[in-house]
Amino acid sequence: MRERAVSGTSEGPAPAADLDRPVVTESEINTPSRTEPPARAPYSSVFTAAPLAMAVVDREGMVVSANDSLGALLGSAPDELAGAVAADLVDLTCDARTWHAYREVLRGRQSRLRCTRRLKHPDGHSLWVQVTVAPLPAEDRAVLLSVADISSRRELQGRLRHLQMHDPVTRLPNRTLFFERLSAALEAESYEQSGTGRIGLCYLDLDGFKAINDTLGHRVGDRLLAAVAERLTRCADEAGHARPSTPLVARLGGDEFALLVEDSTGTEQLAELAESVLEAIQDPFDISGQRLSVSASIGVVERHAAGTSPTALMQAADTTLYWAKADGKSRWTLFDPERNAHRMTRQALASTLRPAIDRGEFQLEYQPLVGMEDDRLHGVEALIRWNHPQFGVLTPNRFIGLAEEDGSIVPLGRWVLRTACRQARRWQLDHPDEPPIFVSVNVAVRQVWDSDLVADVAETLAETGLAPHLLQLELTESAVMGSAGRPLQALKALSEMGVRIAIDDFGTGYSNLAYLSRLPVSVLKLDGTFVRGFQYDDRDTSTRPNPADEVVVEAMIQLAHRLGLTVTAECVETSAQATRLRRIGCDTGQGWLYSRPVPPDRISELLDTPGVQAGVGNP
């Protein structure tokens, strides 16, 4: 018997062997018996000449006879099909459900089977067929197998589906197909069997597209979208190189696109993809003889597929895209559960902030301020944390803004001041042989306006016994530079008292250097954006930033020294930064190179060491 080539296996469960009924032979089908009515003989001619491919199959699943149409469809002579296993000819053994239903029809327990199969013709081409198995009259003890070629119909359905599922402008998958793929990727059977079990999404829209579309017209706008789609597809292809799958690129509508990464390996993979997209889109486009420039804002989400729904993933991506735009556009932003919790729980936090002060839910951590020349601990900055019973430990950016809005910053700031001064005095008493360290406390402008800050400081110093010069108050540059009237009088009174006044985040606000000389300020804290430019390695010249960055910082340090001020550099994270800052005269440094914010007992450990080594204060 000649082998038949089908898309599924040609081997399957053996037909039922317990069917002991007589086999209907070909001669019995084609030759009327003595009891057969005279009118039945023409049916064999109809069977042979019918354009529908058919075969008579006995109850054991063997082909008794086949017509010419079936032979033509399968690429074999009809007589060669006789005696073949019918299930193998049309691939009925490829799945257990179909195989079971077929056997039930053979046994007379089911009236009909209909299924669709993809077969491979001996000449190499594939075809789609609809297979129907139905019992013949009981006395024939056989079933009729009919096979209809539906390849043209399937091809037409495929073309129609492609039109329905793809965007006509960019030819990318549209929103419908994107959500179909996303939903399938989040089904448990999709990620439990293999893969990483994670999923990632880059959700983006174009910055500046609306202006181009409105001024140059929709035709140019559509061509620009098509060009963007080509670049996104190229980025996806490059990202999918040497990986199990290529990210799906889809246009979700307007100027919104998405890149879906199934079986992602983590946020690093998504970050690399987002970076490549930003770079690809930032290059100008030549559209209809015009050079057009746009950029993109991208929201990036990467997480475990388990427990995630399409709606939740898209909500997170949409929120993160909004953050990217709010942060300045032309950038990618990674979904931050903490930032999202801030958005979702803002009102809940505001309503519980004041009672939390009375319940003692706040605590202070301290970050070292280290001398650049001697690597010794000179002081610490007090940083507040909220031990929220529901949301866990919250950093200041989650609640200080709320406290300033509702006025609770005044009692909260008073608590921070007293707690920090009390702790600084305790360190001094516990380490009498070491030079005392100062403590730096952040002060909000509203504390100056809504309370008698000078009286609060004087009372606290008297109560704790801390010397005034061991207290430093930090105000932001915008607050200090705009000081006039009562705030300026308070700053002068505190300075005359001996308290150190520091300008925090210097270089990001007004930077009015002429006005700076008239203020009672003793310390400038350089914003971390200046210091980050010092992270490059001398040995790697390809990563060196603009030399002007270092010139500007050095000029600010020299100016501060001329005015009798000391300079603290924030966000010192590498030894290369510390070396350069030391070389240009920076006085103290603060950052993760030395220590993250830590509990008071860790500061006590640092006081017992001769110098603060890199990372020694980190948990």
Side-chain angles (χ1 to χ4, degrees):
M1 180 177 63
R2 181 185 303 173
E3 270 186 76
R4 298 286 178 259
V6 295
S7 62
T9 176
S10 61
E11 297 179 2
D18 58 345
L19 303 177
D20 53 358
R21 299 177 180 178
V23 177
V24 182
T25 65
E26 183 177 3
S27 61
E28 290 174 328
I29 292 293
N30 294 330
T31 305
S33 64
R34 294 178 182 178
T35 59
E36 187 179 45
R40 187 168 180 180
Y43 284 112
S44 63
S45 299
V46 173
F47 172 81
T48 303
L52 179 64
M54 294 184 291
V56 174
V57 180
D58 65 24
R59 294 290 183 171
E60 292 185 355
M62 309 300 291
V63 174
V64 176
S65 64
N67 66 1
D68 292 340
S69 297
L70 182 61
L73 185 68
L74 299 180
S76 299
D79 58 346
E80 293 179 349
L81 298 178
V85 178
D88 289 347
L89 295 178
V90 289
D91 198 21
L92 297 181
T93 62
C94 67
D95 68 86
R97 184 176 181 182
T98 300
W99 171 245
H100 174 74
Y102 172 63
R103 289 188 299 170
E104 291 296 286
V105 175
L106 291 179
R107 293 168 175 166
R109 299 172 184 171
Q110 185 170 316
S111 61
R112 180 182 295 268
L113 166 66
R114 177 172 291 174
C115 61
T116 301
R117 285 292 180 269
R118 186 182 185 187
L119 307 181
K120 189 173 183 180
H121 196 274
D123 66 6
H125 77 273
S126 296
L127 65 155
W128 285 95
V129 297
Q130 186 176 73
V131 179
T132 303
V133 183
L136 290 170
E139 60 269 19
D140 290 331
R141 307 186 67 78
V143 298
L144 182 66
L145 172 75
S146 59
V147 185
D149 186 351
I150 59 170
S151 299
S152 298
R153 188 200 314 170
R154 291 279 301 200
E155 184 179 352
L156 177 60
Q157 290 174 342
R159 288 200 298 267
L160 291 175
R161 174 176 168 78
H162 187 275
L163 291 174
Q164 293 172 345
M165 296 294 186
H166 287 76
D167 170 51
V169 174
T170 63
R171 299 184 180 180
L172 292 176
N174 60 15
R175 176 181 289 270
T176 302
L177 180 54
F178 170 80
F179 275 97
E180 184 178 288
R181 281 282 300 274
L182 176 58
S183 299
L186 292 177
E187 291 179 356
E189 55 267 25
S190 297
Y191 57 81
E192 287 180 349
Q193 300 292 335
S194 61
T196 63
R198 303 184 68 86
I199 193 164
L201 176 64
C202 290
Y203 181 39
L204 66 102
D205 74 359
L206 303 179
D207 306 321
F209 173 77
K210 187 177 185 302
I212 293 174
N213 205 41
D214 291 346
T215 56
L216 301 181
H218 292 282
R219 187 173 182 179
V220 173
D222 287 349
R223 290 182 178 178
L224 177 58
L225 291 174
V228 169
E230 290 180 2
R231 294 189 183 181
L232 293 179
T233 302
R234 187 167 63 249
C235 290
D237 291 341
E238 292 173 355
H241 181 68
R243 293 184 182 272
S245 62
T246 299
L248 171 72
V249 183
R251 182 190 177 198
L252 302 187
D255 61 345
E256 297 178 355
F257 296 85
L259 290 89
L260 179 65
V261 180
E262 299 180 45
D263 291 327
S264 64
T265 57
T267 55
E268 183 177 349
Q269 180 188 0
L270 271 295
E272 291 176 358
L273 178 59
E275 285 285 358
S276 67
V277 168
L278 286 180
E279 293 177 6
I281 293 180
Q282 284 174 351
D283 291 337
F285 294 84
D286 292 320
I287 306 293
S288 302
Q290 301 185 70
R291 197 168 178 82
L292 305 177
S293 295
V294 293
S295 61
S297 298
I298 308 176
V300 178
V301 182
E302 201 281 336
R303 58 178 55 170
H304 286 288
T308 300
S309 67
T311 301
L313 190 68
M314 290 306 300
Q315 284 178 342
D318 187 61
T319 297
T320 312
L321 174 59
Y322 171 80
W323 292 343
K325 286 188 168 295
D327 291 343
K329 301 182 179 180
S330 187
R331 67 189 62 209
W332 65 270
T333 300
L334 182 67
F335 179 75
D336 181 4
E338 182 176 329
R339 186 173 180 179
N340 189 57
H342 167 65
R343 182 178 68 91
M344 299 296 293
T345 62
R346 181 179 176 86
Q347 185 58 42
L349 293 177
S351 63
T352 59
L353 209 161
R354 281 183 180 271
I357 301 174
D358 298 331
R359 290 194 297 264
E361 294 178 0
F362 294 93
Q363 69 178 44
L364 293 183
E365 291 184 343
Y366 301 88
Q367 188 169 30
L369 298 165
V370 180
M372 286 291 189
E373 289 297 332
D374 57 11
D375 279 336
R376 294 191 65 88
L377 182 64
H378 288 194
V380 294
E381 179 180 353
L383 298 169
I384 191 170
R385 303 289 186 261
W386 184 357
N387 294 317
H388 197 283
Q390 179 180 356
F391 303 117
V393 178
L394 305 180
T395 53
N397 63 305
R398 293 286 304 278
F399 57 86
I400 289 298
L402 295 174
E404 291 178 346
E405 289 177 10
D406 68 4
S408 59
I409 190 66
V410 173
L412 185 60
R414 189 177 292 123
W415 176 86
V416 172
L417 176 66
R418 290 176 177 171
T419 304
C421 289
R422 189 179 299 114
Q423 182 59 62
R425 179 58 174 162
R426 171 52 53 194
W427 285 322
Q428 184 180 6
L429 295 174
D430 290 345
H431 301 81
D433 297 332
E434 295 293 330
I437 62 173
F438 67 88
V439 64
S440 189
V441 176
N442 291 279
V443 176
V445 176
R446 188 161 183 176
Q447 288 178 255
V448 182
W449 282 106
D450 293 2
S451 67
D452 191 342
L453 181 61
V454 177
D456 287 342
V457 169
E459 181 180 344
T460 299
L461 293 177
E463 176 188 324
T464 60
L466 186 68
H469 72 279
L470 296 180
L471 173 63
Q472 176 175 290
L473 300 180
E474 294 187 22
L475 290 90
T476 61
E477 179 184 340
S478 57
V480 175
M481 291 301 184
S483 295
R486 182 175 179 179
L488 181 58
Q489 293 173 3
L491 294 180
K492 287 181 177 179
L494 291 167
S495 179
E496 292 172 358
M497 190 187 301
V499 175
R500 299 150 55 106
I501 306 297
I503 298 180
D504 195 14
D505 301 330
F506 184 76
T508 60
Y510 297 97
S511 297
N512 189 332
L513 300 179
Y515 190 59
L516 178 63
S517 62
R518 305 188 186 100
L519 291 173
V521 174
S522 54
V523 180
L524 294 184
K525 296 189 72 175
L526 295 181
D527 186 71
T529 55
F530 293 102
V531 181
R532 290 191 185 97
F534 287 53
Q535 287 181 340
Y536 60 87
D537 191 332
D538 281 328
R539 296 168 296 182
D540 185 2
T541 58
S542 64
T543 61
R544 294 178 68 96
N546 189 333
D549 292 344
E550 190 166 317
V551 173
V552 170
V553 174
E554 184 175 6
M556 287 194 292
I557 292 175
Q558 291 178 353
L559 177 61
H561 288 170
R562 292 282 183 89
L563 295 174
L565 309 178
T566 60
V567 179
T568 298
E570 299 179 304
C571 300
V572 182
E573 298 180 358
T574 68
S575 57
Q577 289 173 305
T579 299
R580 288 177 175 81
L581 290 166
R582 184 184 304 110
R583 186 179 65 217
I584 61 178
C586 187
D587 300 292
T588 55
Q590 176 182 0
W592 288 4
L593 174 67
Y594 306 110
S595 174
R596 301 189 182 208
V598 294
D601 58 335
R602 298 297 297 275
I603 299 299
S604 298
E605 294 175 9
L606 291 179
L607 287 171
D608 291 330
T609 60
V612 181
Q613 302 300 319
V616 73
N618 290 332

